Each structure stands twice: as structure tokens, then as C-alpha cells.
């Protein structure tokens, strides 16, 4: 059974990122409910409403030398609502929106599988669907990321669990689409390290 982790979308601006500080740290971000409002299976610009403060937070992460990396379960692909090509086109658009606002993302990892609702080969028990840590581990290997020194930002217990299983020490939970408390904690975290 093919359960290999999908090739991530890598931001066109990724390569010039400073490598001297490798191994680098990351700000891992869940997508729906953290970056965009979770309307359910969002995959078009028209359905995208940004979570207030997200561009500032990602810019702040970049300024701290953290690579902003999205890790997102995409059951919409598994269910056949949209395909991987649609998802990659949408992701390229999303990355461009962040670049335009001087808060570039580094990469987007996604899981197209679902254990029950998946169609065809996408119906499987994979190693990437959160709370499995596969996407974070793959990102760490490819982008030379120090997981213990990294931060996970998510809005579900499964995000926190994936991070913990991957060895990410700091997890920040976003509730009700309100980034404000998280931004405060993230600033404090930056001062400690
Ligand atoms: Mg979410
Ligand atoms: Zn998967």
C-alpha cells in the first residue's frame, strides 16, 4: 500500500533562507483554524478568510529565525472534494499572499489520506495524518529542523499530539480563532530562548 508522505509545496523563496544557523528551528502551523477560518474543506481564494494577526505572527517567526512550515490534514482530497493538483494550486496562491505581505512561509506539508472516508488508495492508515507525527518528521529531515527547539501552533488536540510525538517541546493552542493570547505567549517564548 502506498502511504508515502507527499512531496511538500516548497516556497520559491525557501532556498535563500539563511542556512548558517542549521539545524534550524521551525514554527509549525496547522492551517484551518490557525491561518484561515475553518469553513470546512477550504481550497479556493473565495472561501479564504484570514485569521486576524496571522501575517504578523508569521513575520515575527521569520524575524526570530524560525521557518514557518504548514502541516495540514487534507481529508478533502481523500474524500474526492478536490484533488492534489487543486490543492497545490491553492497552496501556491496562499504562499504568494504571505510573500506579498512580507511574511513568507517556507513549506506546506499535507496529508491527503483518511482511514475511513478515503477514496481508493487514499483510504488508508497512514503515518502522516495528525495526530501521527509523519509530516513534522519529514519536514525536520528535509529542512534540517531541530524539533525540540521548534514550536507548534494548532487548534486541535491532534495538532498538539502530533507535535509532542515528533518531539516538539512547545505547543500553543489557538481557541476560537483568537490569535492574541498565542501571540503574547510566542513573544514571551522568544525572550526566553
Ligand atoms: Mg485546524
Ligand atoms: Zn497521510
Amino acid at each position: 500500500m502506498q502511504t508515502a508522505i507527499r512531496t511538500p509545496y516548497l516556497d520559491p523563496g525557501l532556498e535563500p533562507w539563511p542556512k548558517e544557523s542549521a539545524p534550524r528551528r521551525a514554527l509549525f502551523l496547522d492551517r484551518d483554524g490557525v491561518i484561515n477560518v475553518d469553513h470546512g474543506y477550504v481550497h479556493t481564494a473565495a472561501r479564504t478568510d484570514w485569521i486576524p494577526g496571522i501575517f504578523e505572527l508569521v513575520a515575527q517567526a521569520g524575524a526570530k529565525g524560525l521557518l514557518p512550515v504548514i502541516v495540514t490534514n487534507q481529508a478533502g482530497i481523500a474524500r474526492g472534494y478536490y484533488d492534489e493538483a487543486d490543492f497545490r494550486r491553492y497552496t501556491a496562491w496562499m504562499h504568494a499572499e504571505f510573500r506579498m505581505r512580507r511574511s513568507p512561509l517556507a513549506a506546506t506539508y499535507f496529508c491527503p489520506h483518511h482511514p475511513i472516508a478515503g477514496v481508493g488508495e487514499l483510504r488508508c492508515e497512514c503515518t502522516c495524518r495528525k495526530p501521527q507525527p509523519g509530516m513534522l518528521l519529514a519536514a525536520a529531515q528535509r529542512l534540517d529542523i531541530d524539533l525540540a527547539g521548534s514550536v507548534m501552533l494548532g487548534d486541535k488536540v491532534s495538532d498538539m499530539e502530533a507535535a509532542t510525538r515528533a518531539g516538539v517541546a512547545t505547543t500553543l493552542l489557538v481557541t476560537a480563532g483568537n490569535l492574541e493570547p498565542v501571540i503574547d505567549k510566542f513573544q514571551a517564548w522568544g525572550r526566553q530562548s
Side-chain angles (χ1 to χ4, degrees):
M1 188 183 289
Q2 177 60 265
T3 62
I5 289 178
R6 292 299 195 265
T7 306
Y9 178 84
L10 296 174
D11 196 88
L14 178 64
E15 281 314 314
W17 284 71
K19 279 194 169 176
E20 63 270 19
S21 59
R24 298 171 284 191
R25 300 186 296 179
L27 173 65
F28 290 108
L29 303 123
D30 172 48
R31 205 200 69 182
D32 299 275
V34 172
I35 286 179
N36 54 278
V37 177
D38 190 356
H39 295 308
Y41 309 109
V42 170
H43 64 285
T44 60
R47 292 270 289 159
T48 303
D49 294 309
W50 306 114
I51 299 278
I54 190 58
F55 297 110
E56 292 76 4
L57 182 67
V58 168
Q60 216 177 78
K64 288 177 195 290
L66 272 70
L67 285 177
V69 176
I70 296 179
V71 287
T72 176
N73 286 354
Q74 287 296 316
I77 300 172
R79 292 170 183 270
Y81 298 162
Y82 46 95
D83 64 19
E84 288 188 40
D86 296 329
F87 176 77
R88 285 181 188 278
R89 267 192 298 276
Y90 174 68
T91 301
W93 172 82
M94 179 176 273
H95 276 239
E97 291 289 305
F98 274 81
R99 273 201 308 281
M100 222 159 60
R101 292 170 174 87
R102 301 184 189 285
S103 51
L105 298 162
T108 294
Y109 281 77
F110 66 102
C111 165
H113 310 113
H114 193 282
I116 300 154
V119 174
E121 60 111 10
L122 298 177
R123 176 175 170 165
C124 60
E125 295 282 352
C126 64
T127 58
C128 38
R129 183 176 165 79
K130 294 174 286 183
Q132 298 289 333
M135 290 190 281
L136 289 88
L137 297 175
Q141 194 167 32
R142 178 162 195 152
L143 303 174
D144 199 11
I145 290 166
D146 161 28
L147 286 166
S150 295
V151 179
M152 174 81 204
L153 190 55
D155 70 332
K156 287 189 178 159
V157 173
S158 55
D159 298 320
M160 308 291 104
E161 203 174 318
T164 303
R165 288 194 203 177
V168 172
T170 308
T171 55
L172 299 173
L173 186 67
V174 180
T175 47
N178 181 12
L179 275 181
E180 260 177 53
V182 162
I183 287 171
D184 290 345
K185 280 185 202 160
F186 185 56
Q187 276 166 349
W189 175 85
R191 282 195 295 271
Q192 286 159 12
S193 54

